[in-house]
Amino acid sequence: YYNRVDEDIPMPDCRISSNDPYAVEPDTQTLVLGNQNFYVTLKTAATSHTLTAYDVMGVYPSETSAQFTVNPNSAVKLQLLLPGETAVAGSPTGKTGSPAVSIANEQVIATVNLVDAYFNRVPSGAQMPQVKLTTWDPQDNEPDPNTLFNGTNIFSLRPLTASTTWSVVVSTNDGTNYEPGLSSNKTVYPAAAHYLKITNYPSQVTAGAAFSFTLSAHDAYHNRLSTGPNRYVSRVRFTAEDFENDNQDPELPSDYQFVESDAGIRTFSNLIRLKKAGLNMWFEAYQVEPLFMAISSNRSGYSTNPSLTVNAGAPAKFIVYPDANVEVSAGSQGSPGSRQITAEFSDGFDNVIQSSGVVVDLSVVNVSGSTGTIKREVPGTPPTYVEVCLLYTSPSPRDRTRSRMPSSA
């Protein structure tokens, strides 16, 4: 009949339990004259709380209270939840789950709550703050500040920088004194392939000398395609300027098929040779499988082809013009026929070498007809010509393939 029994009989040891999983429950205590006070700290705001008293020895039956309401405490801080997370009021962290992974530029909806010290949302009885979201992402556009309604609001973000530690902070924007909230770290994968980039190449090379470079693949937000569903595994091809002189055509690497272990980047060691000397000599990489030539190392607004200075190599030969048999008119006594012969000092790839002080031996291999004169052009306006030597053709059989100076010359 629920009359308190305070007679001098053995009193039971009792405990109080709560249906709040995060409550702080008191230790077991012995009743004194059929009575004892127990202090329970409830942390979860709810309308269905109950407390149960029971005899630890099980001699007396337990008793459960009627349901009662626990309201949120005073609002003290902001909570931020990302997709994949669920609010858990009263818990030490205030939430469960992990942020879902996303792709760069995918929409992410963040939820902001005004909460008490135990992460119970405070829908009323407190000033609703205007809040702002801030990320460390240097590329994204953060949403405009907005005011919470009934202690909550949602915000749209689009992370652009790939990372395993992408995060966002929420803070007040109107001077209200609530503690900022920090999201959990979130993984953002790179978006689809958009351009290639060539790096780590020399600014100057010698014609025909092999050199190295690095090729990497990126999305439209400059993330290297190193991981996630868009990890780069396409085939690329190389090209460079082609020249009329086949001896100056470049040697390029073969097509390369990227594999997952490359993580979107590959170094090509000593696999390219540019042979034409000059300024702003370039080479390019572009995607061929799947075919999308816009994905290249020369995509406007994203990447440009390397520009190198190629210097002539070591002296190797003379290039003489004309380089084929020609007929020259004999002319007349006063105006004999003549033909200018030009010799260019060059490397092994027909690049002219600008050099002075080089001793040149000129000889006539074969002459048909009367002897002639070799003259050297002296630059000027107009140019002048200086006679070098007088040659004649000896009738001796041994001189059929070369000329020699007479003893009187």
Side-chain angles (χ1 to χ4, degrees):
Y1 305 103
Y2 294 98
N3 297 300
R4 180 160 64 93
V5 178
D6 56 4
E7 297 176 356
D8 189 14
I9 59 173
M11 292 287 113
D13 294 331
C14 295
R15 285 188 64 87
I16 299 293
S17 67
S18 167
N19 63 350
D20 182 350
Y22 306 106
V24 179
E25 298 174 347
D27 294 335
T28 299
Q29 297 187 66
T30 302
L31 300 187
V32 178
L33 298 177
N35 184 64
Q36 189 58 268
N37 293 325
F38 293 83
Y39 297 92
V40 183
T41 301
L42 302 175
K43 295 188 176 181
T44 305
T47 60
S48 57
H49 279 288
T50 60
L51 297 175
T52 299
Y54 60 94
D55 175 10
V56 296
M57 299 303 294
V59 175
Y60 301 103
S62 62
E63 178 75 11
T64 298
S65 72
Q67 290 186 353
F68 60 95
T69 296
V70 174
N71 294 317
N73 209 321
S74 300
V76 296
K77 57 187 175 182
L78 300 171
Q79 179 190 46
L80 196 151
L81 303 172
L82 296 176
E85 296 180 312
T86 302
V88 181
S91 68
T93 61
K95 58 187 177 182
T96 187
S98 300
V101 300
S102 61
I103 304 298
N105 200 38
E106 276 187 355
Q107 185 182 50
V108 173
I109 300 298
T111 300
V112 175
N113 296 322
L114 179 64
V115 296
D116 64 13
Y118 309 106
F119 295 101
N120 297 294
R121 182 166 63 88
V122 181
S124 61
Q127 181 180 349
M128 292 294 115
Q130 184 186 78
V131 300
K132 63 180 179 180
L133 272 62
T134 307
T135 77
W136 56 257
D137 190 336
Q139 300 188 87
D140 68 358
N141 294 316
E142 294 159 355
D144 294 333
N146 208 346
T147 301
L148 302 189
F149 179 74
N150 289 337
T152 190
N153 211 333
I154 60 173
F155 296 82
S156 175
L157 302 106
R158 289 185 179 273
L160 297 180
T161 300
S163 173
T164 58
T165 58
W166 192 93
S167 61
V168 57
V169 175
V170 60
S171 59
T172 60
N173 193 54
D174 57 3
T176 49
N177 190 24
Y178 295 120
E179 181 182 337
L182 174 64
S183 76
S184 301
N185 288 337
K186 170 184 173 61
T187 295
V188 178
Y189 286 134
H194 193 73
Y195 70 97
L196 304 175
K197 185 176 183 179
I198 297 175
T199 56
N200 300 329
Y201 56 88
S203 60
Q204 295 191 49
V205 294
T206 299
F211 63 91
S212 304
F213 65 94
T214 299
L215 179 66
S216 54
H218 302 260
D219 65 13
Y221 314 104
H222 312 293
N223 300 301
R224 178 160 55 87
L225 306 183
S226 59
T227 188
N230 292 310
R231 181 178 294 183
Y232 197 67
V233 290
S234 296
R235 184 162 60 93
V236 297
R237 181 168 295 166
F238 300 93
T239 186
E241 187 174 357
D242 197 20
F243 299 98
E244 183 177 353
N245 184 344
D246 293 341
N247 195 33
Q248 296 180 331
D249 285 344
E251 293 181 20
L252 302 170
S254 301
D255 289 4
Y256 180 73
Q257 177 74 51
F258 273 82
V259 295
E260 288 193 359
S261 59
D262 288 328
I265 188 168
R266 177 78 176 182
T267 295
F268 296 82
S269 298
N270 296 322
L271 291 179
I272 183 170
R273 300 172 188 268
L274 300 181
K275 301 176 182 179
K276 171 69 172 178
L279 304 176
N280 303 319
M281 309 306 289
W282 58 268
F283 66 99
E284 180 178 350
Y286 63 93
Q287 180 175 301
V288 291
E289 190 178 320
L291 181 59
F292 192 2
M293 293 185 66
I295 299 178
S296 76
S297 58
N298 193 38
R299 186 154 195 176
S300 177
Y302 292 91
S303 62
T304 56
N305 287 331
S307 179
L308 293 79
T309 297
V310 179
N311 299 313
K317 60 183 178 180
F318 286 98
I319 302 175
V320 179
Y321 301 101
D323 56 1
N325 293 334
V326 294
E327 292 186 2
V328 179
S329 172
S332 62
Q333 184 72 24
S335 178
S338 65
R339 173 68 186 190
Q340 179 175 304
I341 298 175
T342 302
E344 294 180 341
F345 201 27
S346 74
D347 62 12
F349 304 103
D350 302 335
N351 296 300
V352 176
I353 298 174
Q354 302 295 330
S355 181
S356 60
V358 178
V359 178
V360 178
D361 179 28
L362 298 178
S363 63
V364 175
V365 175
N366 189 30
V367 175
S368 298
S370 61
T371 60
T373 303
I374 297 178
K375 294 184 178 181
R376 177 172 63 88
E377 180 180 333
V378 178
T381 306
T384 58
Y385 296 88
V386 178
E387 187 171 296
V388 176
C389 61
L390 179 65
L391 301 178
Y392 79 103
T393 303
S394 170
S396 171
R398 68 178 181 177
D399 293 329
R400 288 179 181 174
T401 58
R402 62 188 301 268
S403 297
R404 59 187 177 88
M405 296 290 289
S407 58
S408 59

